[in-house]
Amino acid sequence: MPADLAVIGLGPYGLPLAKAAVAAGIPTLGFRTGPEAASLSPAELRRMLSGGFRHATSPAELGRVRTAVICSPTPLGADGALDLSEVEAAARALATRLRPHSTVVLESPVPPGTTEDVLRPLLEEGSGMRAGRDFHLAYSPSRVDPGNRDFHPANTPKVIGGLTPACTESAAAFYGRLTDKVVRARGLREAETVQLLETNFRHVNIALVNEMAVLCHDLGVDLWDVVRCAETKPFGFQAFRPGPGVGGHAVPQGLTAHTGRSLRMVELAQQVNSQMPRYVVQRAATLLNEHGKSARGARILLLGVTYKPDLADQQSTPAQEVAVRLLELGASISYHDPYVPSWSVLDRPVPRADSLYESAADADLTILLQQHRTYDLQGLSVKAQLLLDTRGAAPTGAAHRL
């Protein structure tokens, strides 16, 4: 059965797109390029299947679609640059099946220039066709915010930049079926750089408030109150809040392999944010010392080990490094997370707290790393011997804040 759309890569970028396409009534084919974990509940999968979604069992099926969107992951490689191997594998799988007049869009986070310099040659070589003449080629940055109840694909504007104006319009016609607003970039590199700017904007601003958190603690200033007041300014300010580190799938890009240039502000932000798990552990050790206890042998309960509240996703969660550093100090750790039934650190399972309040009462220190809605911070602050709140979620005076 032919499909209108093939989503290549069913990880954090491809799965939301496939769900949105099915919801819009577009027959959609999903093709995996790697071991992506499809975080679909059985009920969601049933809805998608009944709405026209199906998994491709062979790359040959990619030759029957009008539009193909590559959403393969691009994690950081050992050299600190984005690893494009999954994108390249997707391009090769698609190229030999590419039909004339079809549209190929890349949504994976990539350095500017990738669509034209990496993807285009692979598609042209494998298909024997030319981009911009025989098929359309475009880039559209993924704007996925997992768990966001206010913004979803239908009401989030979609940026599109094509190799040619006709490529842009072809991609715009497709995305116009999914979203209320399409924004046309001048070209491929402009659209790719939108993704670069949006991701780096988040990391740089988080780094700023993380540095402010350390400074304000040293000055005896309540940063959370400062942010609360500052965000009443109706212009020139956007509120970000500190935390134990930065997780998620969108990684900052301080180095651009294509140009050999570096973004110094982003590199500095990465340094600041990567220090936060260490800082959390330093604060934990100091708190224990102030209460006559040593980190060695201390029983420490970690609350929330995912990278985002109310989701099970643990991608790049700072909880891992916090746990490793606590273990290095000789602490005994346990964890509680309603979304994570089992958790391992250094390939060793971490004991899971069955009774939250009893475990908090037994622990020498409880550290809130992620603020899930189910956590009653007022109640926990009463039960816990010591509570370190890295998210500013507890009522004022109820816990020691980051």
Side-chain angles (χ1 to χ4, degrees):
M1 183 179 71
D4 284 357
L5 168 68
V7 177
I8 306 175
L10 292 175
Y13 310 114
L15 198 55
L17 174 64
K19 289 170 68 174
V22 170
I26 300 172
T28 302
L29 186 71
F31 182 73
R32 278 200 173 87
T33 56
E36 305 113 339
S39 53
L40 280 177
S41 68
E44 283 179 312
L45 182 58
R46 281 195 301 272
R47 277 198 300 272
M48 286 185 68
L49 290 171
S50 64
F53 176 78
R54 59 191 180 83
H55 284 285
T57 55
S58 163
E61 296 179 63
L62 297 174
R64 305 171 71 183
V65 300
R66 299 172 189 167
T67 304
V69 183
I70 297 175
C71 300
S72 303
T74 52
L76 277 180
D79 60 353
L82 295 181
D83 181 355
L84 302 178
S85 57
E86 289 281 343
V87 170
E88 293 169 356
R92 291 188 183 97
L94 175 64
T96 55
R97 286 98 185 171
L98 200 57
R99 293 194 310 179
H101 312 301
S102 55
T103 301
V104 180
V105 184
L106 178 61
E107 278 205 12
S108 306
V110 294
T114 300
T115 309
E116 189 165 3
D117 299 340
V118 178
L119 185 61
R120 180 185 181 180
L122 289 171
L123 293 173
E124 290 185 338
E125 183 182 346
S127 68
M129 295 188 291
R130 277 189 58 189
R133 185 189 70 185
D134 304 311
F135 67 93
H136 300 294
L137 181 63
Y139 183 84
S140 180
S142 179
R143 283 178 163 174
V144 175
D145 189 15
N148 192 322
R149 298 183 177 187
D150 297 322
F151 292 100
H152 45 81
N155 68 357
T156 301
K158 205 76 172 81
V159 172
I160 294 150
L163 178 65
T164 66
C167 291
T168 300
E169 291 312 312
S170 179
F174 164 70
Y175 282 108
R177 302 168 70 185
L178 301 182
T179 183
D180 297 336
K181 185 175 182 181
V182 170
V183 180
R184 292 161 176 81
R186 182 167 288 181
L188 288 171
R189 289 171 188 250
E190 284 78 11
E192 290 167 329
T193 310
V194 168
Q195 185 274 325
L196 181 76
L197 177 60
E198 290 177 354
T199 299
N200 287 342
F201 178 85
R202 171 178 175 253
H203 283 263
V204 167
N205 280 280
I206 291 174
L208 173 62
V209 290
N210 279 339
E211 271 206 308
M212 289 289 293
V214 177
L215 173 69
C216 286
H217 174 70
D218 292 343
L219 295 177
V221 171
D222 184 347
L223 172 66
W224 308 93
D225 192 56
V226 173
V227 174
R228 179 185 66 84
C229 294
E231 68 181 340
T232 62
K233 185 180 179 183
F235 53 89
F237 183 82
Q238 182 176 344
F240 284 77
R241 288 171 174 79
V246 183
H249 298 269
V251 296
Q253 295 180 47
L255 294 171
T256 51
H258 279 61
T259 63
R261 296 175 181 270
S262 64
L263 294 170
R264 288 184 294 162
M265 187 74 74
V266 179
E267 290 180 331
L268 182 58
Q270 287 177 276
Q271 292 174 22
V272 170
N273 291 332
S274 66
Q275 290 295 314
M276 291 310 290
R278 184 195 300 266
Y279 178 68
V280 169
V281 172
Q282 287 174 354
R283 289 286 306 279
T286 301
L287 268 177
L288 287 165
N289 287 337
E290 288 172 352
H291 288 79
K293 296 176 180 177
S294 168
R296 180 168 296 281
R299 293 165 299 178
I300 298 179
L301 173 65
L302 304 179
L303 299 184
V305 298
T306 60
Y307 96 86
K308 203 167 187 189
D310 307 312
L311 290 176
D313 199 333
Q314 296 175 51
Q315 179 69 31
S316 302
T317 172
Q320 277 284 336
E321 187 179 344
V322 170
V324 167
R325 292 189 177 277
L326 288 172
L327 290 172
E328 288 172 348
L329 291 179
S332 171
I333 63 170
S334 59
Y335 87 99
H336 180 277
D337 193 305
Y339 298 92
V340 182
S342 62
W343 190 49
S344 293
V345 173
L346 298 175
D347 295 324
R348 295 200 300 267
V350 178
R352 187 175 193 269
D354 294 323
S355 172
L356 178 56
Y357 290 110
E358 284 180 23
S359 298
D362 289 341
D364 298 305
L365 172 65
T366 299
I367 307 177
L368 177 76
L369 295 176
Q370 191 52 267
Q371 177 195 356
H372 295 309
R373 279 194 193 91
T374 54
Y375 288 150
D376 170 16
L377 275 303
Q378 180 69 61
L380 276 166
S381 68
V382 173
K383 293 287 187 182
Q385 295 183 43
L386 273 175
L387 178 59
L388 175 58
D389 174 9
T390 71
R391 297 289 180 178
T396 304
H400 299 270
R401 284 179 169 175
L402 186 69

